[in-house]
Amino acid sequence: MGQLIIDNMKKSFLIVAVALMSLSPLSTYAKRWVHNCAGGGRVYFTTSDDTTARQTGAMGAAWCDNRD
């Protein structure tokens, strides 16, 4: 009986750990950005919370330059 409880606790812990790990990327990529390209059109992308507006401007311009 004791071993069954321990096995169930291990399974529960594993399920909770996997659930928390799968939710962690949602919290690190929280900002959505839109960049208007010089030649027309837009690019949409997401970044982490600590990305500055200047950095996103550079990323948006790079996306615009690399579009087909």
Side-chain angles (χ1 to χ4, degrees):
M1 179 73 172
Q3 186 62 34
L4 180 63
I5 293 172
I6 292 173
D7 289 342
N8 285 338
M9 288 176 63
K10 287 180 183 179
K11 288 178 187 176
S12 297
F13 178 76
L14 180 62
I15 290 170
V16 169
V18 169
L20 289 176
M21 287 179 7
S22 66
L23 292 176
S24 64
L26 297 176
S27 64
T28 56
Y29 291 100
K31 287 190 176 180
R32 294 188 54 115
W33 297 89
V34 177
H35 183 81
N36 294 321
C37 299
R42 291 181 177 172
V43 291
Y44 301 89
F45 54 98
T46 57
T47 64
S48 62
D49 284 336
D50 60 350
T51 306
T52 66
R54 188 173 183 180
Q55 290 170 325
T56 58
M59 287 188 286
W63 274 98
C64 289
D65 292 342
N66 289 320
R67 290 187 309 166
D68 289 333

